[in-house]
Amino acid sequence: MGKYSNSSSPRKDVYQMVTDRILDLLDKGTIPWHKPWKGGATGWPKNLISKKPYHGVNVFLLSITATTAGYNSPYWLTYKQAQSLGGHVKQGEKSTLVVFWKMFEKEKTDDTGKKYTDTIPMLRYYRVFNLEQCAEINPERIPQDGKPVEDD
């Protein structure tokens, strides 16, 4: 867990990971809610493979990283996505956390034997890298002038 965690559990708590990131930035003198993101020329953070923009807290987390590291590319990808494009993450580069919610429905039985469906939220997290943290990615796979490359 992060240096701000008060839990001795080795289980990774996504909420604590986000909190740790914000507190770390505050320790370094960055006030993350003072609009550090770049929504202008480079656009909002988006996944290089799917071309889908990130939403919610992910915009906040990725924009803070892009601003503090000086990345100009709005594109982010996982380690495996970089490999799938024939590239790799540069040695020593650090990933950035993104979160993903998914709802699952599960059949349950109550005390009387009656069946019902329970909806269970599941929070997952992934680690992504900015395109500028990667090397040897085929330039034809990288959108130019803000226009996404269409998949074959």
Side-chain angles (χ1 to χ4, degrees):
M1 302 287 293
K3 82 178 192 184
Y4 296 101
S5 175
N6 59 7
S7 170
S8 61
S9 169
R11 184 176 156 258
K12 294 204 179 215
D13 179 350
V14 176
Y15 299 105
Q16 188 64 51
M17 292 165 70
V18 171
T19 301
D20 289 349
R21 176 72 176 129
I22 292 168
L23 291 173
D24 184 51
L25 286 166
L26 287 170
D27 280 351
K28 293 177 180 172
T30 300
I31 303 173
W33 50 85
H34 280 183
K35 195 180 179 197
W37 51 86
K38 300 175 184 178
T42 62
W44 294 107
K46 53 189 87 116
N47 183 277
L48 180 63
I49 301 285
S50 70
K51 313 300 186 277
K52 291 180 181 177
Y54 288 96
H55 298 283
V57 72
N58 292 328
V59 173
F60 178 73
L61 295 170
L62 295 173
S63 296
I64 288 169
T65 299
T67 299
T68 56
Y71 301 139
N72 291 311
S73 175
Y75 296 105
W76 298 81
L77 59 167
T78 66
Y79 183 86
K80 286 184 179 181
Q81 287 175 329
Q83 286 182 320
S84 75
L85 294 175
H88 65 273
V89 175
K90 296 174 187 172
Q91 188 172 353
E93 293 291 344
K94 303 287 186 214
S95 63
T96 301
L97 176 81
V98 292
V99 296
F100 171 73
W101 280 98
K102 187 173 187 176
M103 301 299 268
F104 284 99
E105 291 186 356
K106 184 175 182 179
E107 281 273 322
K108 290 191 173 184
T109 306
D110 66 15
D111 295 339
T112 64
K114 183 178 177 184
K115 293 188 180 232
Y116 66 97
T117 302
D118 192 16
T119 303
I120 303 166
M122 183 187 72
L123 177 63
R124 296 186 123 182
Y125 70 92
Y126 297 92
R127 297 285 185 169
V128 294
F129 297 88
N130 187 274
L131 180 59
E132 294 178 25
Q133 295 176 279
C134 301
E136 298 182 23
I137 292 180
N138 182 346
E140 294 175 7
R141 301 289 299 169
I142 302 169
Q144 300 298 318
D145 302 318
K147 297 177 185 171
V149 174
E150 296 299 323
D151 290 330
D152 295 330

